[in-house]
Structures are given as C-alpha cells and as structure tokens.
Amino acid sequence: MFDFPFMQHAFVGCLLVSLLAGPIGWFMLLRRQAFAAHALPHIGFSGAAAAIWLGIAPLWGMMGSSLIAGLLMAQESKGEGGTFAPIRRESMTGLVLAASLGIGVWCLHMANSASNQASTLLFGDVLGLSAHTLFSLGGILIFCISVLGIIGRPLLFSSIAPDLAQARGVPITLLSRLFMMLAAFATAACSEVAGALLSFSLMIGPASAALRLELSPTKGLLFSLVSALCLSWGGLILSWYTDAPVAFWIGIGAVALYISASIIQHLRQTRRLL
Amino acid sequence: MITPCLVGRKLLLQVGPCTVLNNADFDLPLNGITILRGANGVGKTSFLRAILGLIPLQTGTLLLDHKPPKQARHLIGYMPQKAGQHAPMLPVISHVIACISGKNWGLSWSRAPRREALRLLTITGAAHLADRPLGVLSGGERQRVALAQALAHQPRLLILDEPLAALDPQARNANRILFSELYNRYGIALLMTAHSALEADDFSCPAHEIWLEEGQLHV
C-alpha cells in the first residue's frame, strides 16, 4: 500500500487536513456553528465550480468562495451575546448556501463539464492528490494553525462568555471574522480529501465526540485532532482493502465515534450514580 | 479601602426608543453594596452596559475613578443577567480559566491560571464544582461560577445584573452572605440591579439604594 506514490500522497494529505479539521471543528461546535460547518464546504463547491469554468485550480476557488461566505456569516454574528445574533447568523448561512449552490450549478453548466468534475468536487479525490496540492495544503495548515495559536485564548473566552469578553475589551467581532476565515480555509482543505458533501464529517465527528465526553479545551482539541487523523487514515486503509470510497468510511467512522463517546459517557454517569 | 466613584455630567443615553438618562448629573461613591432599582424597561441593564463601555453615550461625560468607561474596564468585573448559557459541556474550571487568560494572545503552558481559577472558585464557594460540566449545575451554582469568572482580573468594582433573579430563598440568602463577604474581606464594591424584595439591611456591610427613574439617577 505504501509503495505507491499516490497512496503516500494520500496519507500525507490526510495528515495535513486532520491537523486542521480537528481543532477548527472543535471551535465550530463550541460556538454552535455546526450549520456553518455543513454549509461552508457546499459553498466551497460553488467556488471550485467557478474555478473550473475560469480554468484555475479548484482549491483556490473553494478557498475564495468559502472565505467570502465565512466573512458574511461573521458579519451577521456581530454582538455575539445578543439575542438576535444566532438567528441572523443561521439565516445568513442558509441564504449564502442557497445562492452559492445555484451559482455552482450554473458555473458547471457554463464550464460544460458537469458530470466528471462535479463528482470529484462533491466526493473528493484523495487518491489523486498531487505534490503541488500537498504543498498548498501544507501552506494552509501552517497559516491556519499559526493564526489559531495566536487567537486561541481570546477566541475561547469570547466563545464561552461573549458578554464578559466584550466587557473586558476583547475584540469579539474581529475574532469572529478571523475564525470564520480559518473555518473557510479548513473546509476547503478538507474538501480535497473527503469532498464537499462529506468534508464536514471530518470536522464535526471528532469534535462532537470530544464535547460529548465533556473534555476540557486542551484535551478536547487534542482528542479532536487525533480522532480526525484516525478517521482519515483509517478511512484510507479501509478504502484500500474494501474498494469503498474514503469519504464513506470517514462519514461512517464519524458516526461510530460519536456513538462510542455517548456509550462511554453513559457508562461513566451510571458508575457515578452507583 | 478606596471607594470607587462614578461621576456623570449632562448624560444623555438612549437605547432604541428608550431614554435611559436625560441630561443627568450625579456623583455616586460606590461604597459597599449599591442596589440599582427601577421599573421594568427603564434601562437598568443599559445603564450598567454604558458603565462598561458597551453602549455609547449620546452626550455627556461618565467617569469611573476619573477614567472614561473603556479605560476603566480593568477596574470592573461583570456578571451578566444570563450567565453560563454557553458551552455547557465544558468543565467549570475551564470556564474560569478562559476568563483569567482570555485577554492574552498566543499560547501559554503556565499552570498559574488553573491555580488562580481554583482560588476564585474557593472564594465563591464553588471549588467542589470545578470538574463538573457547567450544564448540570443549578441556577445558584451557576451564579457562583459566574461570580468567579467576574472576579478573574481582580476588579475593584463588581457589576452584577439581577444576581438574585430566579433563585430559591436559600440560594438567595447564600448569595447575599457571599456579596457582603466580597466587600468585607476583599474590599470589592458591588453595584447590582435587583427586582426582588431585597433591602439594604439584608447585607452585613454598608449598602444603599439608588433609583433610575424618568431619565434621572436618584442617588
């Protein structure tokens, strides 16, 4: 399995994407932005379709459209602690998603290459990762992890106590925009591995299990990161032996991980009561 | 103990259609516990948020210890009306640590914030809850955690928005004792809104009432 360059590329790609998906996904769930995590890859799909039409690399189209959408969502999240902010953000997410899917279909129609390219964008092509794409993913990873490292503590503060953070002078609107920018880049990167349809499973699955286990932020972030890596590498290995798509195994694995976390948590609580 | 002093001159504060302060002047020494009273919708929370620099004043000058609100933030701890609504699955200690180190950028591996968080939870009588998820706590327990969060940067003034609302008599009484202790032992002045039958005499420290009414603050 490891003798083939395309499999080596696939494992490296999964590593890069998992290092990004785990922590970003954890913050997205903490900030109750699961819908955004679902919507951003689909929005990225439209950007990729536009990129195909314009003759540029789909990854850049994905990043561009996800970035614009992320900033629009952050704009509607202004005043995080306010009563209307979550509703406005969800409405904006839905509207941007609807508009971008329409634009995506139109771009594929104009590019006249709907079937082949679209299925690659929707379901991912981890076995077709080139060295150039890996370098791009590596650059995205370094940039996103560096920014997350810088804003991590204020971001956590503004996520769990927005009123208090605002009262202490933490720039919560700026943090919200920066985070949505990171989320946009992360979803675009994940889509390279799992496709637009299932990339959010790599972000949400591990994070949801970490939160279900009621882990502290440091442990939760590490758990999400390691779990995302296990899911993507596990998916790759299982795909090799079963011939089923990688994205299928990642999706199923994410659900299995959450169910396992729920069972563990249930057993823990039962033991506490005894 | 140095008493923080809130001074307002020719203040105009409007939030939507509500005029909270209209050409208001006051000198308010915040000695001990100050209970802010006023009818529903008169703008008590907006007034508190203006002190915190979260709502801009239309005209006039508001100073806390000779500093405008945004420059006086380090002096103030804040407990909002609906505290503990976010991230209920995280342990209590993580909520307090986030408030202690949340203003700093970059990574840190120091254990000092954890020790400080435990100290604050001990002060508010919530140390035994440190490892429990916030979401399973009762209203009174959440108030104690929120109070520990508000104390995170060692403020001189605590602003508490309806800290006794929706608490049973036992929890309300426990909080009253805790508030008095915060002033008596640590010298932290408190400014709080209250609707319930709370009297200044209920506290074992200096306490007085002020009224927000018809655009004026009656001290």
mmCIF file of all heavy atoms in Angstrom, chain A residues 157-193:
data_model
loop_
_atom_site.group_PDB
_atom_site.id
_atom_site.type_symbol
_atom_site.label_atom_id
_atom_site.label_comp_id
_atom_site.label_asym_id
_atom_site.label_seq_id
_atom_site.Cartn_x
_atom_site.Cartn_y
_atom_site.Cartn_z
ATOM 1 N N PHE A 157 -12.349 32.473 25.110
ATOM 2 C CA PHE A 157 -13.031 33.381 26.045
ATOM 3 C C PHE A 157 -14.317 33.918 25.408
ATOM 4 O O PHE A 157 -15.405 33.868 26.005
ATOM 5 C CB PHE A 157 -12.068 34.522 26.407
ATOM 6 C CG PHE A 157 -12.547 35.449 27.491
ATOM 7 C CD1 PHE A 157 -13.602 35.114 28.327
ATOM 8 C CD2 PHE A 157 -11.925 36.674 27.688
ATOM 9 C CE1 PHE A 157 -14.038 35.973 29.335
ATOM 10 C CE2 PHE A 157 -12.339 37.541 28.688
ATOM 11 C CZ PHE A 157 -13.409 37.192 29.502
ATOM 12 N N SER A 158 -14.194 34.408 24.172
ATOM 13 C CA SER A 158 -15.370 35.005 23.525
ATOM 14 C C SER A 158 -16.389 33.946 23.127
ATOM 15 O O SER A 158 -17.558 34.259 22.938
ATOM 16 C CB SER A 158 -14.955 35.829 22.305
ATOM 17 O OG SER A 158 -14.482 34.987 21.292
ATOM 18 N N SER A 159 -15.958 32.687 23.016
ATOM 19 C CA SER A 159 -16.897 31.613 22.661
ATOM 20 C C SER A 159 -17.717 31.173 23.868
ATOM 21 O O SER A 159 -18.895 30.847 23.727
ATOM 22 C CB SER A 159 -16.144 30.389 22.116
ATOM 23 O OG SER A 159 -15.375 30.738 21.002
ATOM 24 N N ILE A 160 -17.100 31.155 25.051
ATOM 25 C CA ILE A 160 -17.837 30.624 26.204
ATOM 26 C C ILE A 160 -18.441 31.710 27.091
ATOM 27 O O ILE A 160 -19.350 31.437 27.846
ATOM 28 C CB ILE A 160 -16.990 29.641 27.043
ATOM 29 C CG1 ILE A 160 -15.874 30.343 27.793
ATOM 30 C CG2 ILE A 160 -16.438 28.533 26.214
ATOM 31 C CD1 ILE A 160 -15.095 29.377 28.665
ATOM 32 N N ALA A 161 -17.945 32.933 26.980
ATOM 33 C CA ALA A 161 -18.536 34.036 27.763
ATOM 34 C C ALA A 161 -18.466 35.326 26.956
ATOM 35 O O ALA A 161 -17.701 36.238 27.296
ATOM 36 C CB ALA A 161 -17.807 34.177 29.098
ATOM 37 N N PRO A 162 -19.276 35.426 25.868
ATOM 38 C CA PRO A 162 -19.150 36.592 24.984
ATOM 39 C C PRO A 162 -19.418 37.926 25.668
ATOM 40 O O PRO A 162 -18.716 38.912 25.398
ATOM 41 C CB PRO A 162 -20.177 36.321 23.880
ATOM 42 C CG PRO A 162 -21.024 35.203 24.349
ATOM 43 C CD PRO A 162 -20.258 34.455 25.385
ATOM 44 N N ASP A 163 -20.406 37.967 26.569
ATOM 45 C CA ASP A 163 -20.719 39.225 27.269
ATOM 46 C C ASP A 163 -19.528 39.694 28.098
ATOM 47 O O ASP A 163 -19.160 40.867 28.094
ATOM 48 C CB ASP A 163 -21.915 39.033 28.218
ATOM 49 C CG ASP A 163 -23.210 38.929 27.444
ATOM 50 O OD1 ASP A 163 -23.299 39.579 26.395
ATOM 51 O OD2 ASP A 163 -24.106 38.207 27.885
ATOM 52 N N LEU A 164 -18.959 38.735 28.808
ATOM 53 C CA LEU A 164 -17.835 39.044 29.694
ATOM 54 C C LEU A 164 -16.608 39.470 28.879
ATOM 55 O O LEU A 164 -15.907 40.413 29.241
ATOM 56 C CB LEU A 164 -17.511 37.782 30.493
ATOM 57 C CG LEU A 164 -17.168 37.940 31.952
ATOM 58 C CD1 LEU A 164 -18.246 38.666 32.679
ATOM 59 C CD2 LEU A 164 -16.947 36.560 32.578
ATOM 60 N N ALA A 165 -16.380 38.756 27.779
ATOM 61 C CA ALA A 165 -15.231 39.066 26.921
ATOM 62 C C ALA A 165 -15.359 40.476 26.364
ATOM 63 O O ALA A 165 -14.394 41.246 26.359
ATOM 64 C CB ALA A 165 -15.136 38.051 25.789
ATOM 65 N N GLN A 166 -16.568 40.818 25.941
ATOM 66 C CA GLN A 166 -16.808 42.158 25.404
ATOM 67 C C GLN A 166 -16.582 43.214 26.482
ATOM 68 O O GLN A 166 -15.970 44.260 26.225
ATOM 69 C CB GLN A 166 -18.242 42.224 24.895
ATOM 70 C CG GLN A 166 -18.438 43.197 23.767
ATOM 71 C CD GLN A 166 -19.863 43.208 23.263
ATOM 72 O OE1 GLN A 166 -20.736 42.522 23.790
ATOM 73 N NE2 GLN A 166 -20.114 44.001 22.244
ATOM 74 N N ALA A 167 -17.049 42.921 27.685
ATOM 75 C CA ALA A 167 -16.896 43.863 28.790
ATOM 76 C C ALA A 167 -15.429 44.052 29.167
ATOM 77 O O ALA A 167 -15.051 45.087 29.708
ATOM 78 C CB ALA A 167 -17.687 43.385 30.005
ATOM 79 N N ARG A 168 -14.612 43.052 28.894
ATOM 80 C CA ARG A 168 -13.180 43.158 29.210
ATOM 81 C C ARG A 168 -12.390 43.755 28.046
ATOM 82 O O ARG A 168 -11.163 43.846 28.092
ATOM 83 C CB ARG A 168 -12.627 41.765 29.546
ATOM 84 C CG ARG A 168 -13.191 41.141 30.812
ATOM 85 C CD ARG A 168 -12.377 41.465 32.046
ATOM 86 N NE ARG A 168 -10.994 41.069 31.909
ATOM 87 C CZ ARG A 168 -10.531 39.842 32.125
ATOM 88 N NH1 ARG A 168 -11.357 38.885 32.502
ATOM 89 N NH2 ARG A 168 -9.251 39.565 31.986
ATOM 90 N N GLY A 169 -13.081 44.098 26.955
ATOM 91 C CA GLY A 169 -12.413 44.739 25.826
ATOM 92 C C GLY A 169 -11.822 43.784 24.817
ATOM 93 O O GLY A 169 -10.996 44.181 23.992
ATOM 94 N N VAL A 170 -12.247 42.514 24.838
ATOM 95 C CA VAL A 170 -11.778 41.552 23.829
ATOM 96 C C VAL A 170 -12.503 41.867 22.511
ATOM 97 O O VAL A 170 -13.722 42.001 22.500
ATOM 98 C CB VAL A 170 -12.079 40.104 24.278
ATOM 99 C CG1 VAL A 170 -11.756 39.105 23.181
ATOM 100 C CG2 VAL A 170 -11.298 39.773 25.544
ATOM 101 N N PRO A 171 -11.775 41.998 21.393
ATOM 102 C CA PRO A 171 -12.421 42.369 20.127
ATOM 103 C C PRO A 171 -13.178 41.186 19.520
ATOM 104 O O PRO A 171 -12.677 40.486 18.627
ATOM 105 C CB PRO A 171 -11.248 42.794 19.246
ATOM 106 C CG PRO A 171 -10.082 42.049 19.781
ATOM 107 C CD PRO A 171 -10.317 41.820 21.239
ATOM 108 N N ILE A 172 -14.402 40.963 19.971
ATOM 109 C CA ILE A 172 -15.096 39.723 19.592
ATOM 110 C C ILE A 172 -15.508 39.706 18.123
ATOM 111 O O ILE A 172 -15.568 38.643 17.517
ATOM 112 C CB ILE A 172 -16.284 39.409 20.525
ATOM 113 C CG1 ILE A 172 -17.347 40.486 20.474
ATOM 114 C CG2 ILE A 172 -15.856 39.174 21.946
ATOM 115 C CD1 ILE A 172 -18.616 40.052 21.208
ATOM 116 N N THR A 173 -15.774 40.868 17.545
ATOM 117 C CA THR A 173 -16.156 40.877 16.117
ATOM 118 C C THR A 173 -14.949 40.518 15.246
ATOM 119 O O THR A 173 -15.070 39.713 14.316
ATOM 120 C CB THR A 173 -16.702 42.266 15.726
ATOM 121 O OG1 THR A 173 -17.781 42.586 16.609
ATOM 122 C CG2 THR A 173 -17.210 42.285 14.311
ATOM 123 N N LEU A 174 -13.806 41.081 15.586
ATOM 124 C CA LEU A 174 -12.587 40.752 14.837
ATOM 125 C C LEU A 174 -12.274 39.260 14.967
ATOM 126 O O LEU A 174 -11.951 38.584 13.982
ATOM 127 C CB LEU A 174 -11.408 41.584 15.369
ATOM 128 C CG LEU A 174 -10.031 41.210 14.826
ATOM 129 C CD1 LEU A 174 -9.910 41.607 13.359
ATOM 130 C CD2 LEU A 174 -8.913 41.878 15.622
ATOM 131 N N LEU A 175 -12.411 38.734 16.182
ATOM 132 C CA LEU A 175 -12.138 37.308 16.414
ATOM 133 C C LEU A 175 -13.098 36.436 15.603
ATOM 134 O O LEU A 175 -12.701 35.419 15.033
ATOM 135 C CB LEU A 175 -12.283 36.979 17.905
ATOM 136 C CG LEU A 175 -11.133 37.440 18.797
ATOM 137 C CD1 LEU A 175 -11.510 37.283 20.255
ATOM 138 C CD2 LEU A 175 -9.865 36.653 18.491
ATOM 139 N N SER A 176 -14.355 36.857 15.570
ATOM 140 C CA SER A 176 -15.360 36.098 14.830
ATOM 141 C C SER A 176 -14.992 36.047 13.348
ATOM 142 O O SER A 176 -15.076 34.993 12.701
ATOM 143 C CB SER A 176 -16.720 36.765 15.035
ATOM 144 O OG SER A 176 -17.708 36.065 14.368
ATOM 145 N N ARG A 177 -14.559 37.180 12.807
ATOM 146 C CA ARG A 177 -14.186 37.228 11.385
ATOM 147 C C ARG A 177 -12.943 36.371 11.112
ATOM 148 O O ARG A 177 -12.888 35.620 10.144
ATOM 149 C CB ARG A 177 -13.913 38.671 10.969
ATOM 150 C CG ARG A 177 -15.197 39.438 10.792
ATOM 151 C CD ARG A 177 -14.937 40.857 10.358
ATOM 152 N NE ARG A 177 -16.202 41.576 10.366
ATOM 153 C CZ ARG A 177 -16.315 42.871 10.525
ATOM 154 N NH1 ARG A 177 -15.259 43.612 10.684
ATOM 155 N NH2 ARG A 177 -17.492 43.450 10.503
ATOM 156 N N LEU A 178 -11.956 36.507 11.996
ATOM 157 C CA LEU A 178 -10.727 35.719 11.806
ATOM 158 C C LEU A 178 -11.034 34.230 11.868
ATOM 159 O O LEU A 178 -10.518 33.443 11.079
ATOM 160 C CB LEU A 178 -9.698 36.074 12.892
ATOM 161 C CG LEU A 178 -8.920 37.373 12.703
ATOM 162 C CD1 LEU A 178 -8.090 37.689 13.940
ATOM 163 C CD2 LEU A 178 -8.014 37.271 11.479
ATOM 164 N N PHE A 179 -11.902 33.855 12.827
ATOM 165 C CA PHE A 179 -12.204 32.434 12.960
ATOM 166 C C PHE A 179 -12.953 31.908 11.739
ATOM 167 O O PHE A 179 -12.671 30.807 11.259
ATOM 168 C CB PHE A 179 -13.013 32.169 14.240
ATOM 169 C CG PHE A 179 -13.393 30.717 14.352
ATOM 170 C CD1 PHE A 179 -12.417 29.753 14.575
ATOM 171 C CD2 PHE A 179 -14.696 30.296 14.169
ATOM 172 C CE1 PHE A 179 -12.739 28.412 14.626
ATOM 173 C CE2 PHE A 179 -15.024 28.962 14.229
ATOM 174 C CZ PHE A 179 -14.046 28.017 14.462
ATOM 175 N N MET A 180 -13.903 32.693 11.226
ATOM 176 C CA MET A 180 -14.634 32.224 10.048
ATOM 177 C C MET A 180 -13.708 32.117 8.837
ATOM 178 O O MET A 180 -13.901 31.266 7.968
ATOM 179 C CB MET A 180 -15.819 33.153 9.752
ATOM 180 C CG MET A 180 -16.977 33.008 10.730
ATOM 181 S SD MET A 180 -17.497 31.307 11.054
ATOM 182 C CE MET A 180 -18.301 30.888 9.523
ATOM 183 N N MET A 181 -12.679 32.977 8.809
ATOM 184 C CA MET A 181 -11.682 32.872 7.741
ATOM 185 C C MET A 181 -10.938 31.535 7.859
ATOM 186 O O MET A 181 -10.766 30.813 6.871
ATOM 187 C CB MET A 181 -10.697 34.036 7.861
ATOM 188 C CG MET A 181 -9.602 34.046 6.821
ATOM 189 S SD MET A 181 -8.411 35.358 7.140
ATOM 190 C CE MET A 181 -7.426 34.627 8.435
ATOM 191 N N LEU A 182 -10.548 31.185 9.093
ATOM 192 C CA LEU A 182 -9.859 29.905 9.305
ATOM 193 C C LEU A 182 -10.769 28.736 8.954
ATOM 194 O O LEU A 182 -10.353 27.754 8.338
ATOM 195 C CB LEU A 182 -9.413 29.774 10.770
ATOM 196 C CG LEU A 182 -8.415 30.798 11.289
ATOM 197 C CD1 LEU A 182 -8.025 30.480 12.732
ATOM 198 C CD2 LEU A 182 -7.171 30.828 10.419
ATOM 199 N N ALA A 183 -12.048 28.852 9.357
ATOM 200 C CA ALA A 183 -13.009 27.783 9.077
ATOM 201 C C ALA A 183 -13.174 27.606 7.570
ATOM 202 O O ALA A 183 -13.269 26.474 7.065
ATOM 203 C CB ALA A 183 -14.357 28.103 9.726
ATOM 204 N N ALA A 184 -13.189 28.729 6.842
ATOM 205 C CA ALA A 184 -13.334 28.664 5.381
ATOM 206 C C ALA A 184 -12.145 27.933 4.768
ATOM 207 O O ALA A 184 -12.313 27.047 3.918
ATOM 208 C CB ALA A 184 -13.438 30.085 4.824
ATOM 209 N N PHE A 185 -10.943 28.273 5.213
ATOM 210 C CA PHE A 185 -9.745 27.619 4.669
ATOM 211 C C PHE A 185 -9.727 26.134 5.044
ATOM 212 O O PHE A 185 -9.356 25.282 4.244
ATOM 213 C CB PHE A 185 -8.483 28.303 5.190
ATOM 214 C CG PHE A 185 -8.253 29.677 4.617
ATOM 215 C CD1 PHE A 185 -7.288 30.518 5.134
ATOM 216 C CD2 PHE A 185 -8.997 30.134 3.537
ATOM 217 C CE1 PHE A 185 -7.075 31.789 4.609
ATOM 218 C CE2 PHE A 185 -8.801 31.402 2.999
ATOM 219 C CZ PHE A 185 -7.834 32.231 3.538
ATOM 220 N N ALA A 186 -10.128 25.845 6.275
ATOM 221 C CA ALA A 186 -10.113 24.447 6.729
ATOM 222 C C ALA A 186 -11.105 23.606 5.945
ATOM 223 O O ALA A 186 -10.793 22.471 5.547
ATOM 224 C CB ALA A 186 -10.443 24.376 8.226
ATOM 225 N N THR A 187 -12.285 24.125 5.691
ATOM 226 C CA THR A 187 -13.280 23.330 4.948
ATOM 227 C C THR A 187 -12.827 23.120 3.506
ATOM 228 O O THR A 187 -13.036 22.042 2.944
ATOM 229 C CB THR A 187 -14.660 24.018 4.952
ATOM 230 O OG1 THR A 187 -14.503 25.371 4.584
ATOM 231 C CG2 THR A 187 -15.327 23.930 6.280
ATOM 232 N N ALA A 188 -12.192 24.156 2.939
ATOM 233 C CA ALA A 188 -11.688 23.994 1.572
ATOM 234 C C ALA A 188 -10.628 22.892 1.532
ATOM 235 O O ALA A 188 -10.622 22.050 0.624
ATOM 236 C CB ALA A 188 -11.101 25.309 1.071
ATOM 237 N N ALA A 189 -9.765 22.872 2.539
ATOM 238 C CA ALA A 189 -8.722 21.847 2.604
ATOM 239 C C ALA A 189 -9.334 20.459 2.803
ATOM 240 O O ALA A 189 -8.929 19.486 2.153
ATOM 241 C CB ALA A 189 -7.750 22.170 3.734
ATOM 242 N N CYS A 190 -10.319 20.368 3.697
ATOM 243 C CA CYS A 190 -10.961 19.079 3.966
ATOM 244 C C CYS A 190 -11.677 18.540 2.727
ATOM 245 O O CYS A 190 -11.734 17.332 2.503
ATOM 246 C CB CYS A 190 -11.990 19.209 5.090
ATOM 247 S SG CYS A 190 -11.255 19.436 6.683
ATOM 248 N N SER A 191 -12.221 19.458 1.937
ATOM 249 C CA SER A 191 -12.951 19.029 0.749
ATOM 250 C C SER A 191 -12.032 18.313 -0.240
ATOM 251 O O SER A 191 -12.480 17.474 -1.027
ATOM 252 C CB SER A 191 -13.594 20.237 0.060
ATOM 253 O OG SER A 191 -14.533 20.822 0.917
ATOM 254 N N GLU A 192 -10.755 18.631 -0.203
ATOM 255 C CA GLU A 192 -9.796 17.947 -1.079
ATOM 256 C C GLU A 192 -9.732 16.456 -0.760
ATOM 257 O O GLU A 192 -9.484 15.629 -1.620
ATOM 258 C CB GLU A 192 -8.398 18.555 -0.904
ATOM 259 C CG GLU A 192 -8.208 19.883 -1.580
ATOM 260 C CD GLU A 192 -8.113 19.768 -3.102
ATOM 261 O OE1 GLU A 192 -7.444 18.841 -3.585
ATOM 262 O OE2 GLU A 192 -8.722 20.602 -3.793
ATOM 263 N N VAL A 193 -9.950 16.126 0.512
ATOM 264 C CA VAL A 193 -9.845 14.725 0.942
ATOM 265 C C VAL A 193 -11.207 14.035 0.914
ATOM 266 O O VAL A 193 -11.369 12.971 0.319
ATOM 267 C CB VAL A 193 -9.242 14.640 2.361
ATOM 268 C CG1 VAL A 193 -9.332 13.237 2.925
ATOM 269 C CG2 VAL A 193 -7.807 15.103 2.321
#
